[in-house]
Structure formats: C-alpha cells, structure tokens
Amino acid sequence: MKNSHMVVVTGAASGIGKQLAIQLAEEGWQVAITDINEDGLQETAREIGDAVLDATALDVSDAEKVAEWGQRIVDKHGVPHSVYHVGGISMWGSVASMPLEKWEKLIDVNLMGTIHVIRNLVPSMMDAGPITGSAAKELGPRRLVCVASSAGVLGLPWHAAYSASKGGVLSMLEVLRFDLASFGIKVHAVAPGAVDTGLVRTIDIHGIDQNNPRVQKAKKLFQGHAVSPAKCAQIIRRGVRKNKYLITTGGDVKLGRWAQVNLPFLYRGALTGLNRAFQWVAKDAALK
Ligand SMILES: NC(=O)c1ccc[n+]([C@@H]2O[C@H](COP(=O)([O-])OP(=O)(O)OC[C@H]3O[C@@H](n4cnc5c(N)ncnc54)[C@H](O)[C@@H]3O)[C@@H](O)[C@H]2O)c1
C-alpha cells in the first residue's frame, strides 16, 4: 500500500479543520488537505510544509468534483489511513423567514457534502480491509471522523435548517459505525459546542442586524464560553485515540445530551429559556 500514513482533512483552510491538519501533521501523518477557500488552503499547506501530499481546492457539495478528487487521491497516494471531514457552513434563522435557498445550501454543503466525501473515499478503505500486524500497532485502525454539531442533538433556537443538515450527518454515522466495523474502520461523530472560529464571526443569522448591540453582546457571550479551534482539535484527537464514538467539545453539550434523556424537564426549561433569550435579541435586532 502506498502512503499508509496519509490522512485526508477537509475544511483545512481555517478553524477546526486547519488546526486538525496541523496537529495531525505534527503527530507524523502525511496529509491530503482540501477546502473551498483556495487562499486559506494554500496558507495551511505552507504552514504545514513537507507533510502535505496534496492541497486541492474543492467544493464538497459538487458531487462530480469530489468524485474526481477522491479517485485522484487514491490513485496517486494510495488508500487513506483515515478521513477527517470537517468542512461545513452555518446559517441560522426562523422557519418563518429563512429562504428556501439557504435550507438547500445547508443540506447541499453539510449533509450532501459529507455524503460525497464518504462515498468517494470510504469504499477504498473498505476494500483495503483492516490494518493488521505491526502497522496496526504503529498506526491504529482506519478511521472516519466527521464533524457534525451539538445542534444535531440539541434543540437550539433558530437552528432548524442547520440542525436538519447536521442531524442527518449524525444519523448516517450512527449506521456507519456498525456497517464499517467489520472492515476495521472506526467511526467517530464529533458534536462540538461553541468553538471560536471564523464561522462564529461571519455567521449568517437570517433577518437579524448583526451590528445590533444585543446581537454583539450575545456573540461575546458565545465566544466567552467557546473553546479555541486548536483546543477543539486536541479534544477530537484525544477522543479518537480513546476510540470514543461521540466526541463532544464542551461540558454544556455533554450535560444537555444527558439531561435530554435523564432530566427532560431540566432540558426543556433550559432550552425554553435560551429560546426566550433569542426572541429578546430578535425583538430589537430584526431587520425591517
Ligand atoms: N465553530 C463552532 O462553534 C462550531 C460548532 C459546531 C460545529 N461546527 C462545525 O465545525 C466545522 C468546522 O467549522 P469551523 O467552526 O472550523 O468554521 P470555519 O469557517 O473556520 O471552517 C469551515 C471551513 O469549511 C470550509 N467550507 C465551507 N463550505 C465549503 C464547501 N462547500 N466545500 C469545502 N469546504 C467548505 C470553509 O472554507 C472553512 O475553511 C463545520 O462543519 C461546522 O459546522 C462548528
């Protein structure tokens, strides 16, 4: 097998994907990185240096382009040891006003993009079969790691469209963790809470004036309890090493998920309160 040390990382131009690519390269992996943002991707490639086998800009929602890219990566560099699919977008808004194009965009990039990446890389990993012998000791099992969101689990305000896209990813991974087990591929679902990345600064909140002081204050609160992208990448790598299926990045996500099942009244109360807080912000910041 060529380059059994290769891992693929999407969304590598910024935020969590960039930090994962850097940290995986520091760990000794060779990386094939991609992102829709060519400039950011090349900057990441420069920062990583020799460990980069491939840095090709790509829109993960473009089925044909992902298929060509996946084939080229496997033909040129061999079967990836692991795939870290991180690239994605976020848009929030009320179901009453969020335009159809935004719903479609979220599904195209977050859900269909994940499907395209999986369909074009994972079958080669299945064909290659489990890693055995000394390589298994050195490299560990093959892994499919996909970054979804806590919004795929919890009923966060105005997240309906985003949650539909990320919840789809989580449901798909729940199946794949069992379907892929006999091929020696471990599946990891990442559900981050708040991470202070470009996504937070540029988030599209439909119908809301982002310069409104209440919105600015809410964003500051979010960033105040957000972890850095580097810390998030460390948490993901630790979870992967420990073979955890669901990897969360904040105590609030873990608690929310636990309360959803074990203390539903507490969960309902907390999420109702959060929803009211968003309505309070929207009252002042709604664009006319
Ligand atoms: N930041 C958070 O609080 C948070 C919370 C939960 C989940 N997430 C998820 O984490 C992942 C990484 O986001 P981040 O916070 O690092 O934000 P980010 O904006 O810094 O990184 C996302 C990357 O994905 C790339 N991307 C966007 N659309 C793409 C497309 N069509 N094709 C290929 N690449 C594309 C962007 O160019 C960017 O480099 C996303 O899937 C996001 O939904 C983030």
Side-chain angles (χ1 to χ4, degrees):
M1 191 194 312
K2 289 180 258 178
N3 289 310
S4 55
H5 279 73
M6 177 187 61
V7 298
V8 174
V9 184
T10 76
S14 74
I16 302 165
K18 175 172 183 168
Q19 291 304 320
L20 262 176
I22 290 173
Q23 292 179 20
L24 287 165
E26 283 168 359
E27 235 179 64
W29 296 96
Q30 294 184 298
V31 292
I33 54 175
T34 183
D35 197 287
I36 198 169
N37 170 359
E38 168 88 60
D39 290 348
L41 184 70
Q42 296 315 328
E43 178 55 38
T44 302
R46 270 193 294 279
E47 279 181 44
I48 294 177
D50 289 345
V52 175
L53 287 180
D54 189 278
T56 304
L58 183 73
D59 177 353
V60 291
S61 70
D62 186 329
E64 258 177 50
K65 289 273 157 53
V66 178
E68 282 166 23
W69 163 80
Q71 190 64 55
R72 187 173 53 73
I73 292 287
V74 174
D75 288 348
K76 206 164 160 197
H77 304 294
V79 176
H81 176 278
S82 295
V83 173
Y84 289 76
H85 174 52
V86 188
I89 54 170
S90 188
M91 291 183 237
W92 305 349
S94 159
V95 71
S97 60
M98 185 112 154
L100 179 62
E101 306 84 72
K102 291 193 177 180
W103 285 79
E104 288 174 338
K105 180 87 181 163
L106 282 162
I107 298 292
D108 282 350
V109 174
N110 290 350
L111 180 55
M112 291 311 299
T114 306
I115 292 170
H116 300 323
V117 169
I118 289 175
R119 284 190 70 245
N120 289 291
L121 289 173
V122 171
S124 67
M125 294 158 67
M126 294 165 79
D127 284 348
I131 295 178
T132 53
S134 58
K137 244 193 192 150
E138 188 199 346
L139 306 173
R142 294 186 193 286
R143 303 187 186 272
L144 169 65
V145 184
C146 292
V147 175
S149 172
S150 55
V153 182
L154 306 173
L156 301 173
W158 302 348
H159 281 61
Y162 180 65
S163 294
S165 69
K166 293 295 191 176
V169 171
L170 289 175
S171 293
M172 177 168 53
L173 297 177
E174 181 67 25
V175 173
L176 292 182
R177 70 190 282 205
F178 300 107
D179 277 3
L180 300 183
S182 59
F183 296 89
I185 303 169
K186 286 220 178 291
V187 173
H188 305 270
V190 184
V195 187
D196 194 7
T197 65
L199 200 92
V200 178
R201 286 182 284 279
T202 60
I203 182 140
D204 176 348
I205 311 177
H206 188 76
I208 296 295
D209 172 11
Q210 305 247 2
N211 295 319
N212 178 282
R214 285 186 186 181
V215 176
Q216 295 286 332
K217 204 170 164 191
K219 273 197 181 183
K220 280 220 174 80
L221 274 173
F222 181 91
Q223 283 171 311
H225 88 283
V227 299
S228 70
K231 176 81 188 165
C232 180
Q234 279 164 10
I235 294 170
I236 294 171
R237 284 173 43 246
R238 192 170 58 224
V240 165
R241 270 198 308 275
K242 289 184 170 174
N243 291 322
K244 277 175 76 174
Y245 166 65
L246 183 68
I247 301 170
T248 53
T249 64
D252 46 353
V253 183
K254 223 181 258 171
L255 181 67
R257 194 174 133 79
W258 180 84
Q260 203 174 31
V261 177
N262 298 294
L263 284 177
F265 66 94
L266 185 70
Y267 170 75
R268 252 194 332 269
L271 271 291
T272 303
L274 192 60
N275 207 286
R276 289 207 180 116
F278 269 59
Q279 282 172 30
W280 176 77
V281 171
K283 219 184 230 173
D284 202 45
L287 289 167
K288 304 287 175 267

CSV table of all heavy atoms in Angstrom, one decimal, residues 1 3-7 27-29 81-82 131-143:
chain,number,residue,atom,x,y,z
A,1,MET,N,0.8,-1.2,0.0
A,1,MET,CA,0.0,0.0,0.0
A,1,MET,C,0.9,1.3,0.0
A,1,MET,O,1.9,1.3,0.7
A,1,MET,CB,-0.9,0.0,1.3
A,1,MET,CG,-2.0,1.0,1.3
A,1,MET,SD,-2.6,1.1,3.0
A,1,MET,CE,-2.9,-0.6,3.4
A,3,ASN,N,1.8,5.1,0.9
A,3,ASN,CA,1.5,6.1,1.9
A,3,ASN,C,0.4,5.7,2.9
A,3,ASN,O,-0.6,6.3,3.1
A,3,ASN,CB,1.0,7.4,1.2
A,3,ASN,CG,2.1,8.0,0.5
A,3,ASN,OD1,3.2,8.3,1.0
A,3,ASN,ND2,1.9,8.3,-0.8
A,4,SER,N,0.7,4.6,3.6
A,4,SER,CA,-0.3,4.2,4.6
A,4,SER,C,-0.4,5.2,5.8
A,4,SER,O,-1.2,5.1,6.6
A,4,SER,CB,0.1,2.8,5.2
A,4,SER,OG,1.4,2.9,5.7
A,5,HIS,N,0.5,6.2,5.8
A,5,HIS,CA,0.5,7.3,6.8
A,5,HIS,C,-0.4,8.4,6.4
A,5,HIS,O,-0.3,9.5,7.1
A,5,HIS,CB,1.9,7.8,7.0
A,5,HIS,CG,2.7,6.9,7.9
A,5,HIS,ND1,3.2,5.7,7.5
A,5,HIS,CD2,3.1,7.1,9.2
A,5,HIS,CE1,3.9,5.2,8.6
A,5,HIS,NE2,3.8,6.0,9.6
A,6,MET,N,-1.1,8.3,5.3
A,6,MET,CA,-1.9,9.5,4.8
A,6,MET,C,-3.3,9.6,5.4
A,6,MET,O,-4.0,8.7,5.5
A,6,MET,CB,-2.0,9.5,3.3
A,6,MET,CG,-2.9,10.6,2.8
A,6,MET,SD,-3.3,10.6,1.0
A,6,MET,CE,-4.2,9.1,0.9
A,7,VAL,N,-3.6,10.8,5.9
A,7,VAL,CA,-4.9,11.1,6.3
A,7,VAL,C,-5.5,12.3,5.5
A,7,VAL,O,-4.7,13.2,5.0
A,7,VAL,CB,-5.1,11.5,7.8
A,7,VAL,CG1,-4.6,10.3,8.7
A,7,VAL,CG2,-4.3,12.7,8.2
A,27,GLU,N,1.9,15.2,14.4
A,27,GLU,CA,1.9,13.8,15.0
A,27,GLU,C,2.6,12.8,14.1
A,27,GLU,O,2.8,11.7,14.5
A,27,GLU,CB,0.4,13.3,15.1
A,27,GLU,CG,0.0,12.9,16.4
A,27,GLU,CD,-1.5,12.5,16.4
A,27,GLU,OE1,-1.9,11.5,15.7
A,27,GLU,OE2,-2.3,13.1,17.0
A,28,GLY,N,2.9,13.2,12.9
A,28,GLY,CA,3.7,12.4,12.0
A,28,GLY,C,2.9,11.9,10.8
A,28,GLY,O,3.4,11.1,10.0
A,29,TRP,N,1.6,12.3,10.6
A,29,TRP,CA,0.9,11.9,9.5
A,29,TRP,C,1.2,12.7,8.3
A,29,TRP,O,1.5,13.9,8.4
A,29,TRP,CB,-0.6,12.0,9.8
A,29,TRP,CG,-1.1,11.1,10.9
A,29,TRP,CD1,-1.3,11.5,12.2
A,29,TRP,CD2,-1.5,9.8,10.7
A,29,TRP,NE1,-1.7,10.4,12.9
A,29,TRP,CE2,-1.9,9.3,12.0
A,29,TRP,CE3,-1.6,8.9,9.7
A,29,TRP,CZ2,-2.3,8.0,12.3
A,29,TRP,CZ3,-2.0,7.6,9.9
A,29,TRP,CH2,-2.4,7.2,11.2
A,81,HIS,N,-5.3,6.4,5.2
A,81,HIS,CA,-5.5,5.6,6.5
A,81,HIS,C,-6.8,6.1,7.2
A,81,HIS,O,-7.6,5.3,7.6
A,81,HIS,CB,-4.3,6.0,7.5
A,81,HIS,CG,-4.5,5.3,8.8
A,81,HIS,ND1,-5.3,5.9,9.8
A,81,HIS,CD2,-4.0,4.1,9.3
A,81,HIS,CE1,-5.3,5.1,10.8
A,81,HIS,NE2,-4.5,4.0,10.6
A,82,SER,N,-7.1,7.4,7.1
A,82,SER,CA,-8.2,7.9,7.8
A,82,SER,C,-8.7,9.2,7.1
A,82,SER,O,-8.0,9.8,6.4
A,82,SER,CB,-7.9,8.3,9.3
A,82,SER,OG,-7.6,7.2,10.0
A,131,ILE,N,-6.4,-2.9,9.0
A,131,ILE,CA,-4.9,-2.8,9.1
A,131,ILE,C,-4.5,-3.8,10.1
A,131,ILE,O,-5.1,-4.0,11.2
A,131,ILE,CB,-4.5,-1.4,9.5
A,131,ILE,CG1,-4.9,-0.4,8.4
A,131,ILE,CG2,-3.0,-1.3,9.9
A,131,ILE,CD1,-4.6,1.0,8.7
A,132,THR,N,-3.5,-4.6,9.8
A,132,THR,CA,-3.1,-5.7,10.7
A,132,THR,C,-1.6,-5.6,11.0
A,132,THR,O,-0.8,-4.8,10.4
A,132,THR,CB,-3.4,-7.1,10.0
A,132,THR,OG1,-2.7,-7.1,8.7
A,132,THR,CG2,-4.9,-7.3,9.9
A,133,GLY,N,-1.1,-6.5,11.9
A,133,GLY,CA,0.3,-6.7,12.2
A,133,GLY,C,0.9,-5.5,12.8
A,133,GLY,O,0.3,-4.7,13.5
A,134,SER,N,2.2,-5.2,12.4
A,134,SER,CA,2.9,-4.1,13.1
A,134,SER,C,2.3,-2.8,12.7
A,134,SER,O,2.4,-1.8,13.5
A,134,SER,CB,4.4,-4.2,12.7
A,134,SER,OG,4.5,-4.1,11.3
A,135,ALA,N,1.8,-2.7,11.5
A,135,ALA,CA,1.2,-1.4,11.1
A,135,ALA,C,0.0,-1.0,12.0
A,135,ALA,O,-0.2,0.1,12.3
A,135,ALA,CB,0.7,-1.5,9.6
A,136,ALA,N,-0.8,-2.1,12.4
A,136,ALA,CA,-1.9,-1.8,13.3
A,136,ALA,C,-1.4,-1.2,14.6
A,136,ALA,O,-2.0,-0.3,15.2
A,136,ALA,CB,-2.7,-3.1,13.5
A,137,LYS,N,-0.3,-1.7,15.1
A,137,LYS,CA,0.3,-1.2,16.3
A,137,LYS,C,0.8,0.2,16.2
A,137,LYS,O,0.6,1.1,17.0
A,137,LYS,CB,1.5,-2.1,16.7
A,137,LYS,CG,1.2,-2.9,18.0
A,137,LYS,CD,2.5,-3.5,18.5
A,137,LYS,CE,2.0,-4.4,19.6
A,137,LYS,NZ,2.9,-5.5,19.7
A,138,GLU,N,1.4,0.4,15.0
A,138,GLU,CA,2.0,1.8,14.8
A,138,GLU,C,0.9,2.8,14.5
A,138,GLU,O,1.0,3.9,15.0
A,138,GLU,CB,3.0,1.7,13.6
A,138,GLU,CG,3.8,2.9,13.4
A,138,GLU,CD,4.4,3.0,12.0
A,138,GLU,OE1,4.4,2.0,11.3
A,138,GLU,OE2,4.9,4.1,11.7
A,139,LEU,N,0.0,2.4,13.6
A,139,LEU,CA,-0.9,3.4,13.1
A,139,LEU,C,-2.3,3.4,13.7
A,139,LEU,O,-3.1,4.4,13.6
A,139,LEU,CB,-1.1,3.3,11.6
A,139,LEU,CG,0.2,3.2,10.7
A,139,LEU,CD1,-0.1,2.9,9.3
A,139,LEU,CD2,0.9,4.6,10.8
A,140,GLY,N,-2.7,2.3,14.3
A,140,GLY,CA,-4.1,2.1,14.8
A,140,GLY,C,-5.0,1.8,13.7
A,140,GLY,O,-4.6,1.8,12.5
A,141,PRO,N,-6.3,1.6,14.0
A,141,PRO,CA,-7.3,1.3,12.9
A,141,PRO,C,-7.6,2.5,12.0
A,141,PRO,O,-7.3,3.6,12.4
A,141,PRO,CB,-8.5,0.9,13.8
A,141,PRO,CG,-8.4,1.7,15.0
A,141,PRO,CD,-6.9,1.8,15.3
A,142,ARG,N,-8.1,2.1,10.8
A,142,ARG,CA,-8.6,3.2,10.0
A,142,ARG,C,-9.7,3.9,10.7
A,142,ARG,O,-10.5,3.3,11.4
A,142,ARG,CB,-9.2,2.6,8.7
A,142,ARG,CG,-8.1,2.0,7.8
A,142,ARG,CD,-8.7,1.5,6.5
A,142,ARG,NE,-7.8,0.6,5.8
A,142,ARG,CZ,-6.7,1.1,5.2
A,142,ARG,NH1,-6.4,2.3,5.2
A,142,ARG,NH2,-5.9,0.2,4.6
A,143,ARG,N,-9.9,5.2,10.3
A,143,ARG,CA,-11.0,6.0,11.0
A,143,ARG,C,-11.7,6.9,10.0
A,143,ARG,O,-11.1,7.5,9.1
A,143,ARG,CB,-10.3,6.8,12.1
A,143,ARG,CG,-9.5,6.0,13.1
A,143,ARG,CD,-9.1,6.8,14.3
A,143,ARG,NE,-8.2,6.1,15.2
A,143,ARG,CZ,-8.6,5.4,16.2
A,143,ARG,NH1,-9.9,5.2,16.4
A,143,ARG,NH2,-7.7,4.8,17.0
